[in-house]
Amino acid sequence: MKIQLNGVPADTEAGTLRELLDTLPDLPEHYAVALNDEIIPKEKLSAAGLHEGDTVEVFSFMAGGAC
Amino acid sequence: MTANNADMPLSFGGKTFRSRLFTGTGKFASGALLREAVLASGTELVTMAVKRLDFQGHSDAILPALKDLPVTLLPNTSGARTAKEAVFAAHLAREALGTDFIKVEIHPDVRYLMPDPVETLRATEILAGEGFHVMAYCGADPMLCLRLARAGAAAVMPLGAPIGSNQGLTTRAMLKIIIAQKEAPVVVDAGIGLPSHAAEAMELGADAVLVNTAISVSRDPVTMARAFAGAVAAGRMAWLAGPGAVSGEAHATSPLEAFLRDTDGDLS
């Protein structure tokens, strides 16, 4: 199934967001996930089904900002 | 210090900060250096950006470097161009970290990175209404700072100069007004390039300063962090001590007239 993962086309066999995240290397300890621009709480990742054409974005914390 | 000018720790968002130096995380050569500089600065509030992970390239993950340090983490919405994007970033930060602290940064203009006052006020209204402790990065506009405080900002963060410019307090006259009429703590943010600039902000009565670039791009960030800690403490102490008035004329510090009378006879 083809999805968009953080802006890049990806092919995945994962049926849920949880399964998709478990395939990712270097997933940081603290992260948040948006499925089609909607933030999915951690406790609902296993129930969030993936579908063809979905847009998944995974966010975390990086150095920087203003100042 | 005497009882008259003993300091109170700075409190907002349910947290108390003994250090009035807040720091950023950008432009450090390594996570290890960032960690050392944070420790040397004595800061208790550190800001970092909420960003989409780059699975293809270099990971710039920041939290491992800050793990177990005695600091409150302050996610910021850097990169947001609208209130809507900033609100989304705040929701991501809350989900990822379980924190209600958020620094609202909305600067769509890439050359000067000037914060957008309209979008910043809108985002502050929304997020404060949702229970966030909003620290609002903004221009040094006294009326805007009042409006942000009344919209529920936990602190306002007027800029001293453009982000990362190291120019110092180019907005000094406006900062004085902002501090004189503040209804929320004032944290001078952006443009502070030297410890003397930080001391100046504190001498003006700022509640705290936020410094990043001046520390991280210096030749020795750890020593510079220590220098900023000293400057902020000195500036704060001077504010509490009550600086003397500025005068356009000289005022002798010893009784000149008496000296002249006594010596008049000897000289003639």
Side-chain angles (χ1 to χ4, degrees):
Chain A
M1 158 171 62
K2 292 188 184 348
I3 61 168
Q4 283 280 324
L5 176 60
N6 282 20
V8 179
D11 219 331
T12 182
E13 301 301 315
T16 67
L17 274 180
R18 181 70 269 161
E19 288 173 23
L20 175 69
L21 293 171
D22 288 343
T23 68
L24 298 177
D26 306 326
L27 188 66
E29 183 183 349
H30 298 279
Y31 59 88
V33 185
L35 175 60
N36 300 324
D37 294 330
E38 186 192 341
I39 299 170
I40 309 296
K42 278 185 194 63
E43 61 273 16
K44 295 189 176 163
L45 291 174
S46 298
L50 274 179
H51 303 94
E52 182 80 22
D54 275 349
T55 297
V56 178
E57 291 184 306
V58 187
F59 297 82
S60 190
F61 300 99
M62 305 287 161
C67 53
Chain B
M1 279 191 212
T2 65
N4 284 342
N5 57 19
D7 204 0
M8 299 282 286
L10 177 58
S11 292
F12 56 84
K15 295 260 186 183
T16 296
F17 305 96
R18 281 161 301 167
S19 168
R20 290 169 182 270
L21 172 59
F22 303 154
T23 62
T25 52
K27 305 180 198 167
F28 284 90
S30 70
L33 188 59
L34 162 65
R35 185 180 175 86
E36 267 195 78
V38 164
L39 279 170
S41 74
T43 188
E44 294 165 317
L45 187 68
V46 178
T47 187
M48 73 278 183
V50 182
K51 287 280 156 70
R52 197 169 73 176
L53 288 169
D54 179 5
F55 292 119
Q56 314 298 311
H58 173 64
S59 163
D60 202 13
I62 196 70
L63 290 186
L66 299 172
K67 205 176 169 75
D68 304 325
L69 292 182
V71 297
T72 295
L73 298 173
L74 173 63
N76 65 60
T77 68
S78 177
R81 302 166 66 89
T82 63
K84 191 178 170 199
E85 289 179 3
V87 168
F88 186 67
H91 290 169
L92 288 168
R94 182 183 254 174
E95 168 60 24
L97 207 56
T99 182
D100 290 332
F101 276 86
I102 190 76
K103 181 183 174 197
V104 169
E105 290 184 27
I106 305 175
H107 32 76
D109 153 53
V110 294
R111 182 168 184 195
Y112 296 107
L113 297 176
M114 283 294 127
D116 183 318
V118 177
E119 297 295 319
T120 300
L121 180 59
R122 193 171 293 151
T124 299
E125 286 167 346
I126 294 168
L127 291 170
E130 293 176 355
F132 280 92
H133 308 306
V134 178
M135 300 181 68
Y137 173 60
C138 59
D141 178 330
M143 200 59 228
L144 175 62
C145 286
L146 276 185
R147 291 287 298 267
L148 288 166
R150 289 170 189 173
V156 295
M157 308 185 80
L159 58 81
I163 293 168
S165 69
N166 290 340
Q167 292 174 28
L169 305 187
T170 63
T171 59
R172 180 188 164 95
M174 293 300 112
L175 290 173
K176 286 177 80 168
I177 297 173
I178 290 166
I179 290 163
Q181 62 183 23
K182 70 174 180 177
E183 293 183 6
V186 176
V187 181
V188 176
D189 182 10
I192 289 176
L194 288 169
S196 55
H197 301 155
E200 185 182 2
M202 299 309 294
E203 286 163 3
L204 292 179
D207 292 282
V209 296
L210 199 154
V211 181
N212 183 165
T213 300
I215 294 173
S216 62
V217 306
S218 68
R219 187 163 47 79
D220 178 352
V222 175
T223 300
M224 190 60 89
R226 207 171 288 129
F228 268 100
V232 168
R236 177 67 184 174
M237 214 181 295
W239 165 253
L240 292 171
V246 175
S247 168
E249 295 176 15
H251 295 274
T253 55
S254 60
L256 280 181
E257 290 105 323
F259 170 78
L260 289 171
R261 265 201 306 277
D262 289 343
T263 57
D264 195 40
D266 296 331
L267 293 171
S268 59

